[in-house]
Amino acid sequence: MSVPARIAVLASGGGSNLQALIDRLNTGGSAAARVELVVGSRAGIGALERAERAGIPALALDARMMGADTFRDALAGALETHRIDLVVLAGWLQLVPAEVVARYHGRMVNVHPALLPAFGGKGMYGRRVHEAVIASGARVSGATVHLVDERYDEGAIVAQWPVPVLPGDTPEMLAARVLAVEHRILPLAVEALARGASIPIVGDAPVAFDLVAAPAPPDASLRRTMHVAGPALGTQA
Ligand code: GRF
């Protein structure tokens, strides 16, 4: 791994997570990692514009236009040319070719807008995730950073942070609340991995739930969550 670690970000959309990485790692002057390459899944997307504004090499690789083999070779070639150490999928909607996943085993992460392993897997992306969370009646969602392996959303969890689902939430309202947390935990997780942190990351950065310090919610918070009136949950404070 180079110092600072050389990061490639793969994005399909507006690139607000890419921007959070640039702000912390490149313009924020992190010694641990820098974004050195941005790959967009098609020309003209916001993520590529953000890369250009920041002076970061960027290219569009559209798998549907190029065909699977050309796409795989072009992606692998770009990562090699730019001597990339860590790959970050930040709103990347295409499948990453198995050869590239294998080459970056343990060095490729994805950010997912829910608390995996809940609300993940094939077809669970973007608005659909938040619709499913709201429809389930879950009171908590969140953001997850995880290692990428050959299966959708199933690699080891690197970092998670919870976000409340509030009464009356629309998918857009929940998405915005979760996205703000993605912007916080993704750069922290990438920086920690670049520094050689082990997984799951615990320690210097507020990246994961600290279940050791807080193994259970206090009675009062459960009562609020469940709208339980009165002393039904045992010991009172
Ligand atoms: C994020 O919610 C990410 O988790 C999801 O797509 C969204 C991307 O947003 N996969 P942006 O392109 O980083 O703004």
Side-chain angles (χ1 to χ4, degrees):
M1 184 109 53
S2 327
V3 180
R6 300 176 63 82
I7 310 294
V9 178
L10 276 53
S12 299
S16 67
N17 276 300
L18 165 65
Q19 191 66 53
L21 288 162
I22 293 171
D23 291 348
R24 183 171 179 102
L25 304 180
N26 293 44
T27 48
S30 165
R34 285 181 70 82
V35 181
E36 300 284 2
L37 174 68
V38 174
V39 177
S41 58
R42 59 190 166 82
I45 60 174
L48 290 174
E49 286 168 20
R50 291 181 194 268
E52 276 159 33
R53 274 205 296 278
I56 298 168
L59 73 160
L61 296 178
D62 189 332
R64 287 160 307 179
M65 304 269 284
M66 302 170 82
D69 290 355
T70 312
F71 171 71
R72 178 200 59 215
D73 294 347
L75 179 60
L79 297 176
E80 198 172 324
T81 302
H82 289 270
R83 304 192 318 281
I84 295 304
D85 298 306
L86 279 171
V87 177
V88 179
L89 310 185
W92 174 257
L93 295 176
Q94 303 185 13
L95 202 61
V96 180
E99 291 84 350
V100 177
V101 173
R103 191 170 306 173
Y104 281 88
H105 182 80
R107 296 185 296 139
M108 184 182 295
V109 295
N110 179 47
V111 60
H112 184 79
L115 290 180
L116 292 175
F119 304 106
K122 204 166 165 45
M124 274 292 182
Y125 58 85
R127 191 177 202 276
R128 295 189 201 184
V129 176
H130 306 293
E131 282 171 351
V133 169
I134 291 169
S136 76
R139 306 299 295 273
V140 180
S141 190
T144 302
V145 179
H146 65 95
L147 291 181
V148 175
D149 63 17
E150 299 69 33
R151 313 260 288 271
Y152 286 97
D153 298 338
E154 287 186 21
I157 290 170
V158 175
Q160 286 187 311
W161 199 258
V163 169
V165 183
L166 300 178
D169 262 354
T170 62
E172 289 72 24
M173 291 158 76
L174 179 56
R177 201 175 303 121
V178 170
L179 191 60
V181 169
E182 293 178 51
H183 294 165
R184 174 121 177 90
I185 67 167
L186 182 61
L188 288 173
V190 169
E191 206 173 22
L193 286 174
R195 289 188 203 279
S198 56
I199 296 165
I201 295 173
V202 287
D204 59 347
V207 174
F209 289 109
D210 189 350
L211 294 178
V212 177
D219 283 0
S221 79
L222 260 187
R223 260 203 307 278
R224 262 200 307 278
T225 305
M226 298 170 71
H227 301 294
V228 175
L233 286 168
T235 324
Q236 296 301 293

